[in-house]
Amino acid sequence: MGVNGRVPLIACVLLLSACGGAERPVLTNQGLPEDEPEAEESTEEVLSATPTDEPADPSGLPSLDDLGDLPPAVVSPSGVIVAVVGPSPSGGLTVQTPCGNEASLAWGQPVIGADIVLDPGHGGPGDENEGAKGPSGETEAELNLDVARRAAVLLGGLGYEVVLTRTDDYEVPISTRTALADQLDATALVSIHHNAPTPDPGPDNGPGSEVYVQAASDESRRLGGLMYEEALAALSVFDADWASRDDAGVLSVLNSDGEDYYAINRLAETPAVLVEFAYISNPTEALVLGTDEYRQSAAQSVADAVDRFATTTDDGSGFVDNPRLIPSSPGGSGSPPEGCVDPDLE
């Protein structure tokens, strides 16, 4: 189902505590605050997205205090989560689209916060947005989204309020993903990926999972250690010729300026990690990654790691002392690229 399908399940995937029995604030399919009269209109009267000529600066999003009674984000009628910028002059809300533009919505399901933001890496048309590819053409973007959706369901069952940075196959620049997590005041941001290209054979010690953490954040490091421990345990039950780099584990990756190389870690104020579960480019691993059993197991590892992060003082394992250096590139700005195409919000 594309992003235009008005399917309640999408909102349930985004906001698990609203669909389960957890004792958390319940987000119902209500309109916007009563002091915005336009908000009581039906979903059929939602205004079309009207992007400005220039993308908005995600770092300029208002704080929770600035928003007052407005929610920090809403789920649009098509199931796309968007950050709230403020009231719209035409009634309803001004929101930031995934590509960083501003648009008006007359209605949206309020999102009042999040415990965890799950980020399915990549998404959208084009080779770069599809991410890595398997030998038979399977895409990382689809795999990341499937694992993230399953993890969201599992975490929702544990009582956590979970938001996904994308709910379907559309482009979301890194700056939009991190700004959403920050605006929702999330406890953690977990970016889900699958690796490529396949490295030369490394140490024969099982899966070559890698978790990239924020160099300056102790909380990110602890979450990374737990994520690595759970991911390794989940993958180790499967039979594959695992590929691994010599320095695989929990590590920081730095650019030429000594900053976090990956924009998801560099831009987020929220404690963030990026997990590369396995090599989709490796034929024997790709066979495993395509199974329902693997995808559910990977999702369970995400849920278990997040739950341990929230409820224990465990540190995890797999820490690599020396950072990986990638001096030839800044790792991207994370800003919306030229030609970024927004999904329909209606």
Side-chain angles (χ1 to χ4, degrees), residues 145-288:
L145 181 58
D146 190 12
V147 171
R149 283 171 167 168
R150 293 168 186 251
V153 171
L154 293 168
L155 284 165
L158 294 174
Y160 294 97
E161 195 164 328
V162 186
V163 166
L164 271 64
T165 58
R166 68 177 176 95
T167 57
D168 214 320
D169 187 25
Y170 52 85
E171 190 170 2
V172 186
I174 302 299
S175 56
T176 302
R177 300 173 193 236
T178 56
L180 179 64
D182 291 344
Q183 180 149 327
L184 290 172
D185 198 24
T187 300
L189 168 63
V190 179
S191 190
I192 296 172
H193 290 256
H194 291 80
N195 223 340
T198 308
D200 293 333
D204 185 18
N205 59 357
S209 302
E210 299 182 357
V211 184
Y212 310 136
V213 300
Q214 295 165 314
S217 171
D218 290 339
E219 287 293 273
S220 171
R221 175 181 168 86
R222 188 171 79 86
L223 176 59
L226 297 171
M227 194 66 61
Y228 178 78
E229 198 168 86
E230 295 294 342
L232 209 62
L235 268 67
S236 294
V237 302
F238 297 97
D239 184 19
D241 295 329
W242 300 107
S244 180
R245 287 182 53 140
D246 290 338
D247 62 346
V250 184
L251 65 157
S252 57
V253 183
L254 305 180
N255 63 21
S256 55
D257 296 324
E259 301 173 318
D260 288 306
Y261 174 84
Y262 293 105
I264 197 80
N265 285 341
R266 188 174 67 251
L267 299 179
E269 296 179 8
T270 304
V273 301
L274 188 159
V275 54
E276 297 273 11
F277 274 98
Y279 284 87
I280 191 174
S281 56
N282 181 2
T284 64
E285 293 184 50
L287 290 175
V288 171

Side-chain angles (χ1 to χ4, degrees), residues 18-36:
C19 304
E23 295 183 359
R24 300 246 172 205
V26 176
L27 302 180
T28 59
N29 195 28
Q30 63 189 26
L32 298 171
E34 292 183 359
D35 58 349
E36 299 289 348

Side-chain angles (χ1 to χ4, degrees), residues 89-143:
S90 59
L93 292 176
T94 299
V95 299
Q96 184 190 62
T97 68
C99 286
N101 299 304
E102 288 189 357
S104 294
L105 282 180
W107 180 89
Q109 180 173 328
V111 182
I112 58 175
D115 297 317
I116 305 297
V117 172
L118 298 181
D119 172 47
H122 304 284
D127 289 343
E128 183 175 349
N129 291 330
E130 290 178 343
K133 289 187 178 180
S136 300
E138 55 271 37
T139 67
E140 181 192 359
E142 181 276 328
L143 177 55

